[in-house]
Amino acid sequence: MSMIKSLAQVKIIGEGYGGDYTTGLTMYGSNTMHGFEESVSESNEELTVLKRQDGPELRIFHKKSSGSDATIVETEFRNGSSEPVTLEMLSSLVLKDIKADRIHRLLSFWSAEGRLKTEEIVSLDLERSWSGHGKRVEKFGNVGSMPVRRFFPFLALEDSRNHVFTGVQLYAPASWQMEILSEQEGSVTITGGIADRDFGHWTKTVKPGERYLAPRAILATGSTLEEVCDKLVKAQEPKTSPVDDHMGIVFNEYCTTWGNPNIDNLKKLADAIADKGIQYLVMDSGWYGKCGDGSEWWECRGDWSINKTRFPNGLKELTDYVRAKGMIPGIWFEPEVCRDQSEIYYETDHLLKRDGVPLCVCGTRFPDMEDPWVQDFMYRNVIKTLKDNDFGYVKIDYNDAIGVGVDGPEGPGENLWNKIRETKKFFERMREEIPELVIENCSSGGHRLEPSFMELCSQASFSDAHEAKCLPIIAANVQRVIRREQRQIWAVMRLEDDDNLFFYFLCCTFLGRLGLSGDVYDLCDHQWE
């Protein structure tokens, strides 16, 4: 099939907003777009150029996915004028005149990720008015640093009469938006990208000669929703570790010790699961700082010093023991947050701020990942801990949300995006320093299950629904947006569980890959069989 061609839109501060009662609803159709002329690049037919005579230019790059029949789109703004311009909206995509009578979105909530929400265009009040006047808009998305919190950055339109589906997935690690607009009878326009100034407090100044690249989008069409989702997911290109090429089984001890690991119970676990075909033994939270000394694991986040009460001889004793048992040792970190039982919590010059004071969410503060001091701290305390102790697997968690944005040189929304871009660079640096490292993407389960994070990792915690009987429903829902081989699904074994429950939770993992936990050192031979 041919590529799906997208257009683009931009809004520059100081230029007029659109009419039809849309100010505050959308920045689509503003006066900024007046005078843009479309052309196809003579040297690259996959490039569409929209240019205004006074200098602003939009370049839309289209590329066929190597993994599926999907189109990858990237939109770039270029300032060809002689003066700086400040953007307050820039789309990643614009698809005009899509025939549709239904829309499909994926809801997300903690331990309930990926629920399908299907609605009629009529029920959303998106049909054209009698005269065409008064543009109707359905705008949705997410604001903050947990991009999969209310919705996934995903949308599919359905033309039920002709059995045609059009799907969109955004690479959106921070605040994002999508819009559905009625412009023509029987059809709609889709646009989406970074959450704009109205929705996400986003502005970006682009100097003469500078460029700004919007987040990537994937587009696909098909005859069913599942076909479209399959194409979108197969267009993702994860950088899987070479040692994680066969969906090896993970044992994570969180549902065994509940944040209280130590050298004795980890050795006991290693003994119990050795020779059982398990590739990774991952130590979760609680191995650091003052955990267990009157403080819980979440209160000590940010202090990545080895807890000498729990590991008196350091962590190398553990990793040597796990490797001697034929498994790869793993460890949990949450580098982007800190609490008051850590020293970095009081390094206020190096923390994210809003309104000039450290941003605090329910007792949690946030290191500034753009700060060179913080980058050095993360290298010494995270990457060197991995390297010096021979860990081959790391679970990177993220359990708090920053909100609309932070202080910095641009608008709060763009400042937030810059912080998250640095987090992604940290993921890349871990892999550069340890090429075979297996990286697990976690954010209270599934709050970062979007393509740009998933492409940096081998696998992901698909949900925190550790022992919930809705596990297979969540797993089936989430497979619409991330690759199955990346989706680690919990199977928590309890001594008191009967065979039916054992089979149930183990079979849930067939929808992805097996992540074991629980009371396995107490299982009888029959249960192991």
Side-chain angles (χ1 to χ4, degrees):
M1 294 179 67
S2 60
M3 288 191 295
I4 303 170
K5 288 300 180 77
S6 172
L7 294 173
Q9 292 238 339
V10 64
K11 172 66 176 69
I12 295 174
I13 288 179
E15 300 182 352
Y17 297 93
D20 280 332
Y21 321 123
T22 59
T23 307
L25 292 177
T26 180
M27 294 189 186
Y28 178 90
S30 73
N31 288 0
T32 295
M33 296 306 298
H34 293 174
F36 273 98
E37 295 182 356
E38 179 181 346
S39 64
V40 176
S41 170
E42 294 181 1
S43 60
N44 183 359
E45 63 180 12
E46 298 179 352
L47 171 62
T48 299
V49 179
L50 304 175
K51 191 169 184 178
R52 228 168 59 175
Q53 288 188 353
D54 58 345
E57 183 177 319
L58 292 165
R59 292 189 159 222
I60 307 105
F61 299 88
H62 302 85
K63 181 176 71 173
K64 189 72 175 291
S65 164
S66 61
S68 74
D69 179 31
T71 301
I72 298 170
V73 176
E74 290 186 323
T75 297
E76 179 185 79
F77 175 82
R78 295 187 177 188
N79 184 6
S81 72
S82 59
E83 298 292 334
V85 298
T86 300
L87 312 183
E88 54 183 338
M89 185 275 283
L90 175 64
S91 70
S92 294
L93 75 144
V94 173
L95 298 181
K96 294 177 68 68
D97 302 332
I98 305 295
K99 290 191 178 300
D101 58 335
R102 291 188 188 127
I103 73 164
H104 304 273
R105 294 182 279 187
L106 294 178
L107 301 176
S108 190
F109 184 71
W110 182 76
S111 292
E113 294 86 350
R115 179 178 294 172
L116 179 64
K117 183 180 181 67
T118 299
E119 297 163 287
E120 303 288 330
I121 291 287
V122 173
S123 71
L124 289 167
D125 200 28
L126 285 173
E127 71 269 39
R128 183 177 179 271
S129 68
W130 65 270
S131 69
H133 185 55
K135 196 171 282 142
R136 318 227 182 158
V137 182
E138 174 71 9
K139 187 171 187 172
F140 68 99
N142 176 68
V143 172
S145 53
M146 282 182 159
V148 181
R149 184 173 55 175
R150 179 70 175 89
F151 292 98
F152 277 78
F154 164 89
L155 173 65
L157 298 181
E158 178 185 355
D159 176 2
S160 62
R161 175 175 294 180
N162 296 303
H163 307 291
V164 175
F165 290 75
T166 303
V168 176
Q169 190 170 29
L170 285 176
Y171 280 55
S175 300
W176 60 271
Q177 67 184 38
M178 288 193 191
E179 297 176 348
I180 310 165
L181 305 99
S182 63
E183 293 192 288
Q184 302 292 331
E185 186 71 42
S187 67
V188 295
T189 293
I190 314 171
T191 180
I194 290 178
D196 62 24
R197 189 181 184 187
D198 285 340
F199 195 56
H201 289 226
W202 181 83
T203 59
K204 169 66 181 177
T205 299
V206 183
K207 296 177 182 178
E210 287 187 341
R211 309 174 182 184
Y212 184 86
L213 187 65
R216 174 179 292 186
I218 313 175
L219 315 175
T221 60
S223 57
T224 67
L225 178 62
E226 283 66 34
E227 181 186 359
V228 166
C229 290
D230 189 56
K231 291 177 181 180
L232 295 175
V233 168
K234 285 179 177 175
Q236 298 171 21
E237 300 177 346
K239 296 178 176 65
T240 304
S241 166
V243 303
D244 194 38
D245 60 353
H246 60 285
M247 293 176 64
I249 297 171
V250 179
F251 187 95
N252 182 298
E253 56 78 34
Y254 183 71
C255 293
T256 307
T257 75
W258 296 109
N260 294 288
N262 59 49
I263 188 62
D264 293 330
N265 59 29
L266 265 295
K267 283 184 174 181
K268 184 179 178 182
L269 267 176
D271 292 340
I273 66 176
D275 303 318
K276 296 290 195 297
I278 294 168
Q279 186 175 11
Y280 311 103
L281 173 52
V282 180
M283 176 174 61
D284 212 282
S285 56
W287 56 268
Y288 43 83
K290 302 174 184 176
C291 292
D293 186 19
S295 298
E296 300 290 350
W297 67 263
W298 57 86
E299 297 174 308
C300 300
R301 291 175 296 166
D303 183 352
W304 307 119
S305 62
I306 299 168
N307 185 306
K308 289 302 181 70
T309 301
R310 294 183 169 183
F311 297 91
N313 299 317
L315 295 179
K316 192 68 163 54
E317 179 184 6
L318 171 65
T319 58
D320 286 345
Y321 196 87
V322 171
R323 288 194 180 274
K325 294 292 181 177
M327 293 173 287
I328 295 173
I331 190 171
W332 177 97
F333 280 96
E334 193 178 353
E336 295 163 84
V337 305
C338 56
R339 286 289 295 263
D340 60 357
Q341 294 300 306
S342 68
E343 292 183 5
I344 193 174
Y345 182 90
Y346 302 97
E347 295 282 354
T348 56
D349 288 345
H350 307 293
L351 304 179
L352 295 184
K353 295 182 177 64
R354 185 180 298 160
D355 302 320
V357 298
L359 176 61
C360 191
V361 176
C362 198
T364 299
R365 291 177 174 177
F366 304 86
D368 182 351
M369 299 297 281
E370 281 192 289
D371 186 327
W373 185 94
V374 171
Q375 292 169 359
D376 181 63
F377 176 89
M378 295 303 169
Y379 180 81
R380 288 184 286 106
N381 289 275
V382 179
I383 293 176
K384 275 190 60 61
T385 297
L386 294 171
K387 293 176 74 170
D388 293 350
N389 294 285
D390 196 25
F391 283 101
Y393 184 114
V394 63
K395 175 179 178 180
I396 300 293
D397 209 342
Y398 182 70
N399 291 301
D400 289 284
I402 291 172
V404 70
V406 294
D407 294 348
E410 304 287 353
E414 174 64 8
N415 296 333
L416 171 64
W417 267 81
N418 284 334
K419 308 308 176 187
I420 301 302
R421 290 182 184 110
E422 289 300 324
T423 293
K424 292 173 62 182
K425 288 179 183 178
F426 176 71
F427 275 63
E428 292 169 350
R429 188 176 185 188
M430 285 191 295
R431 193 175 59 251
E432 289 167 2
E433 294 280 343
I434 313 169
E436 294 192 344
L437 183 68
V438 177
I439 302 175
E440 177 188 334
N441 169 28
C442 183
S443 178
S444 287
H447 287 94
R448 275 181 166 169
L449 298 181
E450 60 78 40
S452 72
F453 267 111
M454 292 308 304
E455 288 195 344
L456 295 173
C457 304
S458 290
Q459 38 182 299
S461 301
F462 89 112
S463 181
D464 266 354
H466 309 113
E467 301 179 63
K469 292 180 182 176
C470 59
L471 264 176
I473 299 171
I474 300 171
N477 285 338
V478 169
Q479 74 177 354
R480 291 189 174 99
V481 279
I482 67 171
R483 298 178 74 100
R484 297 178 189 182
E485 65 268 28
Q486 289 189 279
R487 197 167 61 251
Q488 184 191 133
I489 301 171
W490 290 89
V492 179
M493 304 290 99
R494 296 299 180 200
L495 181 64
E496 65 272 16
D497 291 348
D498 62 20
D499 286 0
N500 286 332
L501 205 53
F502 260 66
F503 293 147
Y504 182 81
F505 283 126
L506 286 169
C507 286
C508 292
T509 70
F510 294 170
L511 289 161
R513 57 187 297 164
L514 177 53
L516 275 174
S517 195
D519 307 327
V520 292
Y521 40 58
D522 293 325
L523 300 186
C524 65
D525 290 342
H526 168 72
Q527 289 171 317
W528 271 117
E529 289 167 3

